[in-house]
């Protein structure tokens, strides 16, 4: 008879792919107890393939989580792209948007196959004590509606038949497009596959190849094929190449789901014409049909949350799958950490579904057009050359695709403001500042790591001109009415001083607000649109989004903002 054991944790994560593993890492390093289960054996599952591109905004977020350097050592840096039509190189089409200037120090894509990114996330999570089990599937779960410290009870089963019971505060469905969590929770998965499935069937493959196509190892390529759509070419890690193309309808009708590797290679060679293509090793290939779906909600019954493909599925045409999942994980990670740790109220967690589902809906609307054009077909209401239109769509949506243009609407966390040119809900620009005494600048993102807590950034301006406002802020923060006296310490202060200096307190004329940095050439103030004789108070969310902006002297206004979602200190904490 199979034995059963019971475990109690803060968060049960179902799904051991990149989204689940990244979420497990974030929670574990903040001291949140997690239990992650993956129904497949990763050692026998397809070792390669799947997602392979990390965009600049994703790289920024992973860098703030101290994962960027390890990933960069493995992946292929892609900064350039080539596009060919009838064997001739053309500009302004395909992946040409990759080469456009970007407002990021990560002005490139990192082409790294999912196997390797998963390894990095898994190793990092295990280092912080995460519990991760493969060959373990979710059978059922329930949510207790009354008062309970562990309201979620899940029944799991290992491959050998051993039964496990895990009680948790939250359960996360990061278990893919066929999510068991979503199914059990009865969350509708809205959308359907393209009706004429013979048109939109794609091949994706990873291989070690030889070719006479110029620019094959630049990073990205597009070959406009008359029969195979807009052929995808990505230089990957370990000398491999990702090749993707649409299967001609007659080939799919002949072979269907039983298509063989030999046929796939033959079609790939035809797709790359007039260039030559020789396969040395094929690591992985897949045939799949295109469809777009989004969950009706990313949160239900307060304790159930979805992330990644469990919440949204679409084509891989613009390599958005894992990137969008990474954004989900980072957005959810800091919010869930803060709620479990008692820093934030549930109002913070409630914003997860509205913010991320809104982005998923934008992506799906874009993907419907993009996937049709990639297949050399015309979306309803459009006419012209599909390849040219695809180039136009990719270029016009580049900021969104790269993640730098992803933003959120006004809500509890994002308060409207006219203080900064950067609006709350949008990405906070990464700017260069200097530590006291250092000749070498660092990025603001390096100073504001994602540890789940907010960053209150005091843009001090030029202290000689902002002295009265700085004094007003210092007097407020030192007073019995200060937000620091009654709100949980869910935030860290940081000061940016306009111009150079030797000792921050002396330059400010008072005690600095957290660690101080110098904006020696005023570029940080200018990028945020903050005048040197005005200064400002900004709140940066842990995920690098600007949440709040106010005048330098408006400490009480800052408190009013934080009071809406930061938990008050207990009487015992106030007396300590």
């Amino acid at each position: 008879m199979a034995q059963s054991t019971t475990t109690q944790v803060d968060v049960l994560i179902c799904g051991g792919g990149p989204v689940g593993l990244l979420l497990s890492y974030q929670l574990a390093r903040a001291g949140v107890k997690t239990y992650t289960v993956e129904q497949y054996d990763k050692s026998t599952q397809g070792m390669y393939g799947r997602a392979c591109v990390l965009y600049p905004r994703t790289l920024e977020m992973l860098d703030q989580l101290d994962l960027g350097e390890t990933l960069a050592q493995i992946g292929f840096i892609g900064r350039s792209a080539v596009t060919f039509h009838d064997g001739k190189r053309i500009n302004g089409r395909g992946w040409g948007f990759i080469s456009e200037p970007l407002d990021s120090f990560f002005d490139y894509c990192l082409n790294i196959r999912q196997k390797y990114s998963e390894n990095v996330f898994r190793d990092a999570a295990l280092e912080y004590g995460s519990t991760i089990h493969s060959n373990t599937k979710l059978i059922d779960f329930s949510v207790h509606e009354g008062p309970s410290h562990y309201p979620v009870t899940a029944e799991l089963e290992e491959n050998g038949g051993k039964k496990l019971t895990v009680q948790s505060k939250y359960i996360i469905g990061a278990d893919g497009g066929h999510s068991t969590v979503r199914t059990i929770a009865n969350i509708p998965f809205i959308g359907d596959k393209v009706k004429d499935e013979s048109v939109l069937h794609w091949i994706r493959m990873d291989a070690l190849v030889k070719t006479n196509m110029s620019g094959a190892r630049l990073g990205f390529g597009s070959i406009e094929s008359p029969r195979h759509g807009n052929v995808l070419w990505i230089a990957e890690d370990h000398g491999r190449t990702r090749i993707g193309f649409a299967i001609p309808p007659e080939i799919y009708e002949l072979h269907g789901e039983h298509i063989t590797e030999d046929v796939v290679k033959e079609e790939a060679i035809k797709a790359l014409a007039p260039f030559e293509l020789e396969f040395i090793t094929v690591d992985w290939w897949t045939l799949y049909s295109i469809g777009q779906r989004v969950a009706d909600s990313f949160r239900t019954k307060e304790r159930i949350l979805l992330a990644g493909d469990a919440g949204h599925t679409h084509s891989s045409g613009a390599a958005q799958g894992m990137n969008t999942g990474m954004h989900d994980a980072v957005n959810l990670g800091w919010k869930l950490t803060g709620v479990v740790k008692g820093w934030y109220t549930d109002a913070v967690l409630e914003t997860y579904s509205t913010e991320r589902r809104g982005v998923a809906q934008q992506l799906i609307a874009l993907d419907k057009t993009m996937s049709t054009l990639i297949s050399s077909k015309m979306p309803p209401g459009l006419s012209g050359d599909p390849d040219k239109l695809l180039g136009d769509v990719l270029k016009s949506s580049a900021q969104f695709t790269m993640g730098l243009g992803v933003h959120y609407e006004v809500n509890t966390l994002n308060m409207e403001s006219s203080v900064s040119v950067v609006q709350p809900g949008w990405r906070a620009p990464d700017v260069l500042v200097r530590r006291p005494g250092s000749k070498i600048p660092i990025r603001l993102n390096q100073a504001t790591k994602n540890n789940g807590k907010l960053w209150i950034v005091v843009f001090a301006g030029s202290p000689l001109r902002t002295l009265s406002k700085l004094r007003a802020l210092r007097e407020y923060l030192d007073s019995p009415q200060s937000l620091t006296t009654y709100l949980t310490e869910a935030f860290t202060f940081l000061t940016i001083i306009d111009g150079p200096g030797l000792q921050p307190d002396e330059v400010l004329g008072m005690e600095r607000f957290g660690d101080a940095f110098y904006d020696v050439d005023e570029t940080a103030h200018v990028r945020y649109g903050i005048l040197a004789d005005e200064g400002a108070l900004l709140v940066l969310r842990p995920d690098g989004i600007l949440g709040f902006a106010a005048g330098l002297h408006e400490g009480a206004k800052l408190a009013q903002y934080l009071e809406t979602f930061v938990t008050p200190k207990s009487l015992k904490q106030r007396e300590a």
Side-chain angles (χ1 to χ4, degrees):
M1 181 176 178
Q3 295 181 336
S4 178
T5 59
T6 301
T7 302
Q8 292 181 330
V9 297
D10 294 317
V11 181
L12 171 62
I13 301 170
C14 297
V19 175
L21 292 172
L22 181 59
L23 187 56
S24 178
Y25 163 70
Q26 292 177 83
L27 295 169
R29 80 173 195 156
V32 176
K33 190 175 182 181
T34 64
Y35 196 102
T36 303
V37 294
E38 166 58 50
Q39 65 173 321
Y40 299 109
D41 182 354
K42 289 290 184 177
S43 65
T44 59
Q45 194 184 12
M47 294 295 287
Y48 299 103
R50 296 169 290 169
C52 69
V53 177
L54 296 177
Y55 283 124
R57 179 66 184 127
T58 305
L59 295 174
E60 286 184 345
M61 294 190 295
L62 293 173
D63 180 66
Q64 286 187 284
L65 288 166
D66 295 320
L67 295 169
E69 181 60 32
T70 305
L71 291 164
Q73 295 295 330
I74 304 169
F76 186 99
I77 305 297
R79 277 196 175 96
S80 301
V82 291
T83 301
F84 295 97
H85 182 84
D86 290 335
K88 297 179 181 179
R89 184 170 177 176
I90 56 175
N91 296 320
R93 307 256 280 253
W95 286 77
F97 68 93
I98 294 291
S99 305
E100 298 292 325
L102 296 174
D103 178 29
S104 175
F105 292 104
F106 291 88
D107 59 343
Y108 57 86
C109 298
L110 187 68
N111 303 339
I112 177 171
R113 287 175 288 175
Q114 189 169 318
K115 161 188 165 61
Y116 296 105
S117 56
E118 282 184 3
N119 286 347
V120 171
F121 301 153
R122 185 184 300 105
D123 290 346
L126 291 172
E127 186 177 337
Y128 280 95
S130 289
T131 299
I132 302 173
H133 287 283
S134 294
N135 274 326
T136 303
K137 62 182 179 180
L138 174 68
I139 303 301
D140 198 4
F141 72 88
S142 61
V143 178
H144 181 69
E145 296 184 359
S148 174
H149 195 57
Y150 297 100
V152 180
T153 300
E155 302 301 327
L156 312 174
E157 182 178 284
E158 292 183 348
N159 196 34
K162 182 180 178 181
K163 305 291 185 179
L164 305 170
T165 299
V166 175
Q167 296 178 329
S168 61
K169 298 172 183 176
Y170 296 92
I171 182 170
I172 311 300
D175 48 346
H178 300 287
S179 171
T180 302
V181 173
R182 188 188 65 237
T183 301
I184 295 173
N186 290 316
I187 300 175
F189 206 31
I190 302 168
D192 48 37
K193 292 193 175 184
V194 179
K195 293 180 180 178
D196 187 0
E197 293 196 339
S198 64
V199 174
L200 298 179
H201 279 85
W202 289 1
I203 290 290
R204 289 290 184 266
M205 60 193 311
D206 288 340
L208 184 62
V209 300
K210 289 182 179 180
T211 181
N212 62 351
M213 183 181 78
S214 63
R217 298 304 290 177
L218 271 178
F220 296 87
S222 298
I223 300 92
E224 297 177 355
S225 167
R227 294 184 64 249
H228 297 83
N230 198 283
V231 180
L232 173 72
W233 183 278
I234 301 177
E236 298 177 310
D237 58 83
H238 297 80
R240 265 51 179 183
T241 299
R242 168 67 55 89
I243 303 172
F245 54 91
I247 281 287
E250 66 273 16
I251 299 299
Y252 183 78
E253 289 173 8
L254 180 62
H255 299 279
E257 298 296 328
H258 302 292
I259 194 168
T260 65
E261 183 176 307
D262 286 340
V263 173
V264 168
K265 290 195 292 185
E266 182 181 340
E267 291 303 312
I269 291 170
K270 294 176 182 177
L272 208 68
F275 303 110
E276 297 174 2
L277 179 64
E278 177 185 348
F279 287 95
I280 300 171
T281 301
V282 174
D283 291 335
W284 165 88
W285 66 273
T286 188
L287 166 71
Y288 69 103
S289 55
I290 306 305
Q292 294 86 14
R293 292 184 173 89
V294 62
D296 187 56
S297 174
F298 287 8
R299 189 187 189 201
T300 187
K301 296 183 179 179
E302 296 187 359
R303 305 289 173 168
I304 308 167
L305 299 113
L306 304 179
D309 288 354
H312 46 82
T313 59
H314 36 81
S315 83
S316 63
Q320 281 278 25
M322 186 163 72
N323 286 276
T324 305
M326 296 291 94
H327 284 236
D328 290 349
V330 174
N331 187 295
L332 178 57
W334 76 267
K335 294 173 180 178
L336 193 54
T337 292
V339 172
V340 172
K341 299 286 285 186
W343 302 336
Y344 310 126
T345 67
D346 187 73
V348 168
L349 201 51
E350 191 61 29
T351 65
Y352 167 69
S353 182
T354 54
E355 287 190 342
R356 293 307 305 160
R357 188 174 185 275
V359 172
Q361 289 176 307
Q362 292 180 58
L363 171 58
I364 284 172
L366 178 63
D367 185 66
K368 287 181 179 179
T369 298
M370 210 175 282
S371 60
T372 303
L373 291 171
I374 289 173
S375 301
S376 291
K377 306 299 177 182
M378 291 303 299
L382 295 179
S383 61
D385 179 355
D387 290 317
K388 183 181 183 304
L389 283 174
L390 176 62
D392 294 340
V393 171
L394 285 169
K395 188 171 184 178
S396 64
S397 61
Q399 288 297 308
F400 179 81
T401 299
M402 297 283 203
L404 300 171
V406 170
H407 65 281
Y408 307 123
E409 300 301 320
V410 172
N411 59 27
T412 303
L413 300 174
N414 312 318
M415 181 178 288
E416 283 186 294
S417 171
S418 59
V419 172
S420 168
V421 295
V422 182
Q423 287 300 301
W426 287 76
R427 163 186 169 267
D430 197 7
V431 292
L432 293 178
V433 293
R434 293 191 189 183
R435 292 189 176 95
S438 177
K439 294 181 179 180
I440 303 172
I442 68 166
R443 294 178 291 106
L444 181 59
N445 281 0
Q446 291 175 286
T448 55
K449 292 293 187 179
N450 181 353
N451 60 9
K453 293 189 176 185
L454 305 165
W455 287 94
I456 300 176
V457 181
V458 179
F459 271 87
S462 176
L464 290 177
R465 290 180 279 173
T466 61
L467 185 57
S468 62
K469 293 181 179 181
L470 284 168
R471 283 176 176 166
L473 177 61
R474 174 48 66 199
E475 288 172 5
Y476 167 74
L477 292 175
D478 289 344
S479 73
Q481 291 76 39
S482 169
L483 58 89
T484 61
T485 65
Y486 64 90
L487 292 178
T488 299
E489 294 180 5
F491 43 80
T492 304
F493 280 88
L494 181 146
T495 302
I496 298 178
I497 303 169
D498 179 42
L502 299 177
Q503 206 288 322
D505 294 355
E506 288 187 15
V507 175
L508 291 170
M510 65 195 70
E511 182 184 352
R512 65 194 179 281
F513 307 90
D515 288 343
F517 298 84
Y518 293 108
D519 180 14
V520 296
D521 56 4
E522 208 175 312
T523 54
H525 281 72
V526 170
R527 179 63 186 85
Y528 278 85
I530 297 169
L531 300 177
D533 58 357
E534 291 287 340
L537 277 175
L538 271 56
V539 176
L540 306 187
R541 298 171 19 165
D543 55 358
I545 299 294
L546 178 65
F548 170 86
L552 181 57
H553 60 294
E554 295 183 303
K557 188 174 181 179
L558 169 64
Q560 291 173 357
Y561 163 72
L562 295 175
E563 285 171 4
T564 61
F565 62 88
V566 175
T567 56
K569 288 182 179 179
S570 65
L571 181 60
K572 185 177 180 180
Q573 289 173 318
R574 296 188 192 192
E575 291 175 345

